Amino acid sequence: MKKIITTLICGIFSLLITQAQSLASLSIDQIMLGDRFTGFSPDNVFWGEDNKTIYFSWNPTMDTLNSLYKVVLPNGKPEKVSLEEQRKMSGNGEYSKDYRRKVFGRNGDVFLLDLTTGKEQQITNTFDNESGPRFTGDGKGLTWISNNNLYHWDSATGSIAQLTNFRNTPARPSPKPLEFETWLKEDQMDLFEILRWRKGQRDIRDRQNKAMEVKRAREINYGTKFLSGLQASPDLRFVTFRYTKRAESKNTDVPNYVTESGYTTDLTARSKVGTPQDTYEFGIYDRTRDTFYMVDTKKLEGIYDKPAFLKDYHKGEKPYNPKYDKPREVSYTNVLFSDDGKAVISLRAQDNKDRWIVLIDLLTGQLKQLDRQHDDAWIGGPGVSGFGGGGIGWLPDNEHLWFQSEETGFSHIYTVNVKTGVKKALTSGNFEILESNLSRDGKFFFVTASADGPHERHFYRLPVAGGKLEKITSLKGGNEAVLSPDESTLAIRYSFGNKPWELYWMPNQAGATAQQVTSSTTAAFKTYPWRVPEIVWFTARDGVKVPARLYKPNKPAPSRPAVIFVHGAGYLQNVHNWWSSYSREYMFHNFLVDRGYTVLDVDYRGSAGYGRDWRTGIYRHMGGKDLDDQVDGAKYLVSTHKVNAQNIGIYGGSYGGFITLMALFNAPETFKSGAGLRSVADWAHYNHGYTANILNTPVEDSIAYRRSSPIYFAEGLKGNLLMLHGMVDVNVHFQDVVRLSQRLIELKKDKWDLAVFPLEDHGFIEPSSWADEYKRIFKLFEETLK
């Protein structure tokens, strides 16, 4: 018995020594290698047409680039796909209604694949680029776009016809003849009979030639506008299209100092928020009547409504007018045609406050509103932000449309009868439908959702009439499922909190077992006992429960320091049970905990995964509730986990860098030091697409920009600030941190430093840059928090 106890004690002691050695061996240089330390996870998963071959991007041998791999189910092993096989692959395309054929584009030509025989037919072979191939409504022909016109291939005859005649020749109106020139011409015709005779001959000849002309589509000249979205109705009678009028806006230049030539060059980058925006029109070409017309939005509900925030700027004695004099500008999605020819489009107000789904009368261009989603903040959410490409479609009865909406505060699936307008919710609850697709037979939806909690992602099946979600996947964590073409099997990218993504497969049946296909993690990565962060909820000052990841040391450092990490992207989720997209930061947090730090990673207001109110909690005040959540998180660490309130640091990149600046400037009593990476210092200098959603525009809503931009609060700096920025950042421009540096200089602040990375964009690439960056961050915390 004594011998057994001695052996057990020795084993435990040996395990502790091994663990201590592995902890000591974990270095910043290692973890900042990224995939070359963890291993390259499989990505970009898709299926072969045989329903048994899974393709994916992978790099298990640490090559310079990832390669395409495949595995043949059920018992195959991953193998690299040759370039010759890749050249023959069909790629993305459209299936026929019976799923026996597939049309796709390859190298600018159109191909047709017979899925029953595997025979491939090349339809075009030209120097022009053919794109967007589709089946016609009867399945007997194909359409595609080439040179901004729509073409039709008839399978019965093999003939190809051009359905439209769009031209972009700038209009050049003929000069109006002067009065004297008109008189002179009339006088000539009166004087000379031969001139009248010859004109008569020309007129007769012109009429004869015109009578003998082959009837072709009328010319539609779109001049200097940009043409897109060409689609034919199932019967080929109507062709819908969009015009874009490009706005004259000024782009910014980003200087590149370290170049191959030795000369400084300028990188052309985005324009800034509030610059003039493109405007859009939507048109219909009726081939039978050979005429076209543009849709009119004047009758849409709320199209004249001013955004609510404008009332804050109303001055004068006259009562506030909540209406504009003309309709708001909108953008249009592509058309969704039903099998019987009904047409639906979605429109989004350019001020981001409204989304309409409408039925189009193709004969008249009149719009029938089916749904309006209004938000005083901005329209968004899963299946809604990208409402043109997903989250909407026709049901098989051709009378009901399904779509996603945040009407109840969470993104759910709805149907609407296009005849009666009756709407029905198919799902409900305090969770989100993240992705939805109708099954081939139209009887079910296949959805990815957070129905099992905000920190889990699973694949479900839902009856088309609504009801209970049937959970298919069962592995705890994150499940990214891709259906085989016949919908019998799932390819799944799966991960857990401390386990990177791997490829699995399973039958598309509840309770089926998922089989692992890849093993990607390196031996070096496996030597370390990576922690599973504890998911906690703390109470914010407004009474709301805030989720966070907590990393606790077994033995806190004597100074009991803590670091709060702020994820970037704003609308992103980082508190969950799957492998984080911030993998380097996750590993860095393990590194910090080994050295006695407590680390908190907060899904602050504005993060994804928690519904509309959470998403829009930062409207018109970034650095408001989202900063409060960091401060309240710090208080939680002090009260619950005995962290020293005098030794709390904060860091993050992009939006996380912005919050770090706001924390150091506006909450210096809470944060002793902070590291801001690629930080937004002034939102008026960021892009339009992201910023205008949240803060409107600087001219219209200067209040929002003034209270949301760190540069206006720099005088509040008391702690230790480290700023780190790539000099060729075309997202958050290096100009941002330069302007803030000048502000700090003029304010005579001295407890700040700036590290620059001459060859790095917004997302760092080089391991040497990553390592240099995080060594500086670690040094900051070691020198100020311990």
Side-chain angles (χ1 to χ4, degrees):
M1 183 66 179
K2 185 182 293 185
K3 185 177 181 180
I4 294 174
I5 294 174
T6 303
T7 302
L8 183 60
I9 292 173
C10 289
I12 294 172
F13 184 68
S14 175
L15 179 63
L16 291 174
I17 291 176
T18 302
Q19 187 177 32
Q21 289 174 340
S22 68
L23 297 183
S25 67
L26 187 63
S27 71
I28 290 178
D29 285 307
Q30 270 185 309
I31 59 184
M32 293 304 149
L33 287 171
D35 291 338
R36 295 200 170 275
F37 173 59
T38 62
F40 288 85
S41 292
D43 201 0
N44 300 320
V45 179
F46 63 95
W47 282 88
E49 306 299 345
D50 61 1
N51 296 294
K52 62 181 181 180
T53 304
I54 304 173
Y55 294 91
F56 52 99
S57 175
W58 201 30
N59 189 4
T61 55
M62 300 289 177
D63 292 336
T64 304
L65 297 174
N66 286 9
S67 297
L68 184 66
Y69 279 74
K70 69 177 181 181
V71 61
V72 180
L73 304 182
N75 300 314
K77 301 295 182 183
E79 58 182 294
K80 191 178 290 189
V81 180
S82 69
L83 292 177
E84 181 62 27
E85 183 178 347
Q86 290 184 51
R87 279 193 288 268
K88 295 179 181 179
M89 293 172 63
S90 62
N92 293 328
E94 180 180 89
Y95 292 98
S96 59
K97 293 176 185 176
D98 59 7
Y99 290 90
R100 297 171 64 88
R101 294 170 298 152
K102 179 182 178 182
V103 62
F104 62 94
R106 181 196 294 148
N107 300 323
D109 288 311
V110 177
F111 292 80
L112 186 62
L113 176 64
D114 188 321
L115 296 173
T116 60
T117 65
K119 183 179 179 181
E120 186 178 282
Q121 180 182 0
Q122 184 166 357
I123 306 301
T124 67
N125 187 355
T126 72
F127 287 102
D128 291 326
N129 181 67
E130 287 89 32
S131 63
R134 298 170 179 263
F135 286 98
T136 54
D138 59 9
K140 297 178 180 179
L142 304 174
T143 64
W144 62 80
I145 299 168
S146 181
N147 292 320
N148 276 344
N149 276 293
L150 201 63
Y151 289 79
H152 170 236
W153 173 73
D154 188 327
S155 62
T157 64
S159 64
I160 296 176
Q162 184 173 327
L163 302 183
T164 61
N165 187 20
F166 286 98
R167 306 280 181 178
N168 65 342
T169 307
R172 294 178 180 174
S174 301
K176 186 177 180 180
L178 298 174
E179 185 177 1
F180 170 75
E181 292 172 334
T182 302
W183 176 90
L184 186 63
K185 181 177 181 180
E186 292 174 352
D187 190 56
Q188 287 289 93
M189 298 301 290
D190 287 340
L191 284 173
F192 302 107
E193 182 180 353
I194 190 66
L195 293 180
R196 295 194 298 274
W197 174 259
R198 290 178 179 177
K199 182 179 184 302
Q201 285 181 315
R202 287 198 310 272
D203 290 345
I204 293 172
R205 196 177 296 118
D206 289 344
R207 287 195 296 270
Q208 289 175 341
N209 290 339
K210 189 171 184 179
M212 296 180 67
E213 284 181 355
V214 176
K215 182 173 176 58
R216 299 188 188 279
R218 71 175 294 172
E219 180 178 311
I220 302 176
N221 191 345
Y222 55 94
T224 58
K225 297 175 183 177
F226 179 76
L227 175 70
S228 63
L230 283 172
Q231 289 179 260
S233 60
D235 62 2
L236 301 181
R237 174 173 175 175
F238 299 98
V239 177
T240 58
F241 58 93
R242 289 193 306 268
Y243 286 154
T244 302
K245 184 179 180 181
R246 297 298 192 194
E248 294 183 7
S249 58
K250 182 179 180 180
N251 289 333
T252 50
D253 292 327
V254 174
N256 185 7
Y257 293 96
V258 184
T259 64
E260 292 181 6
S261 69
Y263 290 90
T264 299
T265 60
D266 285 336
L267 305 175
T268 300
R270 54 165 175 78
S271 57
K272 300 189 180 187
V273 59
T275 56
Q277 299 299 299
D278 297 344
T279 55
Y280 306 92
E281 298 174 84
F282 184 89
I284 303 165
Y285 170 52
D286 184 342
R287 296 181 60 237
T288 299
R289 295 183 292 169
D290 198 25
T291 187
F292 74 97
Y293 30 93
M294 313 306 290
V295 303
D296 191 338
T297 62
K298 290 187 179 69
K299 294 183 179 180
L300 287 177
E301 178 188 347
I303 192 64
Y304 291 91
D305 291 355
K306 291 179 180 177
F309 77 88
L310 288 177
K311 192 172 183 180
D312 292 352
Y313 295 90
H314 177 63
K315 296 178 181 178
E317 298 178 358
K318 291 183 179 180
Y320 176 70
N321 182 2
K323 303 289 184 180
Y324 288 115
D325 294 332
K326 61 180 183 179
R328 285 179 287 162
E329 295 288 349
V330 300
S331 59
Y332 304 85
T333 65
N334 285 341
V335 177
L336 288 168
F337 285 108
S338 64
D339 291 341
D340 61 357
K342 297 186 186 73
V344 161
I345 55 171
S346 296
L347 300 85
R348 183 186 178 100
Q350 199 170 76
D351 62 18
N352 308 308
K353 311 300 181 188
D354 286 275
R355 187 275 308 267
W356 298 269
I357 299 175
V358 300
L359 183 72
I360 314 171
D361 184 337
L362 294 171
L363 278 170
T364 65
Q366 295 296 307
L367 305 180
K368 177 184 177 182
Q369 184 173 303
L370 301 175
D371 181 73
R372 177 194 179 195
Q373 185 182 336
H374 172 80
D375 197 314
D376 280 343
W378 75 95
I379 297 294
V384 181
S385 296
F387 62 85
I392 186 170
W394 286 95
L395 293 183
D397 64 5
N398 295 317
E399 287 191 8
H400 288 83
L401 191 77
W402 67 270
F403 61 94
Q404 285 184 233
S405 170
E406 275 191 329
E407 180 178 323
T408 62
F410 289 84
S411 184
H412 284 291
I413 302 175
Y414 296 79
T415 61
V416 60
N417 187 305
V418 299
K419 289 184 177 179
T420 66
V422 174
K423 188 166 62 174
K424 175 185 177 183
L426 301 188
T427 60
S428 61
N430 293 342
F431 66 91
E432 294 186 316
I433 302 295
L434 303 165
E435 184 179 350
S436 53
N437 291 286
L438 191 64
S439 65
R440 281 172 34 166
D441 61 12
K443 295 180 179 180
F444 298 94
F445 288 99
F446 293 114
V447 304
T448 299
S450 57
D452 279 41
H455 306 129
E456 293 282 316
R457 293 289 182 270
H458 285 286
F459 186 76
Y460 302 84
R461 189 171 72 163
L462 173 73
V464 75
K468 184 179 179 181
L469 285 168
E470 180 185 19
K471 183 177 173 183
I472 305 297
T473 55
S474 58
L475 294 173
K476 181 180 176 62
N479 294 266
E480 298 177 354
V482 181
L483 271 169
S484 61
D486 66 0
E487 300 178 346
S488 66
T489 315
L490 300 179
I492 304 169
R493 252 185 31 118
Y494 167 76
S495 72
F496 189 60
N498 64 346
K499 297 177 182 177
W501 298 95
E502 298 288 3
L503 180 64
Y504 290 69
W505 73 273
M506 63 178 285
N508 185 16
Q509 299 171 6
T513 300
Q515 306 290 329
Q516 186 169 345
V517 173
T518 62
S519 181
S520 308
T521 49
T522 65
F525 177 81
K526 292 175 182 177
T527 61
Y528 182 85
W530 300 101
R531 296 167 176 83
V532 178
E534 179 186 358
I535 295 180
V536 298
W537 298 78
F538 62 86
T539 303
R541 64 193 64 188
D542 59 357
V544 173
K545 296 290 185 181
V546 179
R549 274 182 160 190
L550 177 66
Y551 302 75
K552 288 185 64 176
N554 292 328
K555 185 178 180 181
S559 63
R560 302 192 73 87
V563 170
I564 291 182
F565 169 66
V566 190
H567 70 70
Y571 190 62
L572 176 146
Q573 184 177 1
N574 202 45
V575 177
H576 48 62
N577 285 320
W578 58 89
W579 184 248
S580 175
S581 57
Y582 288 91
S583 58
R584 287 181 176 88
E585 290 78 1
Y586 162 78
M587 292 186 285
F588 182 59
H589 297 160
N590 277 265
F591 175 88
L592 289 177
V593 172
D594 289 343
R595 284 146 185 85
Y597 290 83
T598 299
V599 179
L600 193 69
D601 172 3
V602 182
D603 265 350
Y604 50 87
R605 247 65 73 91
S607 299
Y610 307 95
R612 181 266 170 196
D613 290 349
W614 205 269
R615 174 178 66 80
T616 61
I618 57 174
Y619 178 58
R620 299 189 70 204
H621 193 182
M622 290 194 259
K625 290 182 179 180
D626 45 358
L627 176 58
D628 290 344
D629 290 343
Q630 315 300 328
V631 174
D632 294 339
K635 293 177 180 177
Y636 159 77
L637 291 179
V638 172
S639 63
T640 306
H641 299 285
K642 309 307 178 187
V643 161
N644 187 336
Q646 304 304 313
N647 291 322
I648 300 177
I650 187 170
Y651 89 102
S654 194
Y655 198 97
F658 150 73
I659 287 291
T660 297
L661 295 178
M662 293 294 266
L664 269 289
F665 297 164
N666 288 336
E669 73 287 346
T670 300
F671 299 103
K672 188 176 183 180
S673 60
L677 297 67
R678 44 201 174 272
S679 313
V680 177
D682 188 343
W683 287 108
H685 289 256
Y686 197 52
N687 69 30
H688 187 90
Y690 176 83
T691 318
N693 269 335
I694 306 171
L695 299 180
N696 305 305
T697 65
V699 172
E700 288 185 312
D701 201 357
S702 58
I703 294 172
Y705 283 81
R706 178 61 178 78
R707 65 188 175 197
S708 298
S709 296
I711 199 167
Y712 295 109
F713 301 97
E715 67 274 9
L717 178 63
K718 295 179 182 178
N720 309 279
L721 172 62
L722 170 63
M723 299 182 292
L724 311 102
H725 215 112
M727 294 181 74
V728 288
D729 191 333
V730 295
N731 183 6
V732 180
H733 300 157
F734 185 60
Q735 180 192 24
D736 247 33
V737 75
V738 172
R739 292 176 67 246
L740 179 58
S741 296
Q742 180 60 31
R743 180 75 177 134
L744 291 170
I745 290 169
E746 293 181 8
L747 290 169
K748 297 181 173 58
K749 299 293 181 179
D750 55 12
K751 297 177 71 175
W752 64 278
D753 201 358
L754 172 63
V756 301
F757 299 85
L759 284 173
E760 294 294 354
D761 197 344
H762 194 62
F764 280 21
I765 296 175
E766 301 302 327
S768 58
S769 300
W770 278 105
D772 183 273
E773 183 178 46
Y774 274 79
K775 284 176 181 177
R776 293 174 187 272
I777 296 169
F778 179 57
K779 182 181 179 183
L780 170 72
F781 293 150
E782 286 284 280
E783 292 180 348
T784 61
L785 303 183
K786 280 193 171 181

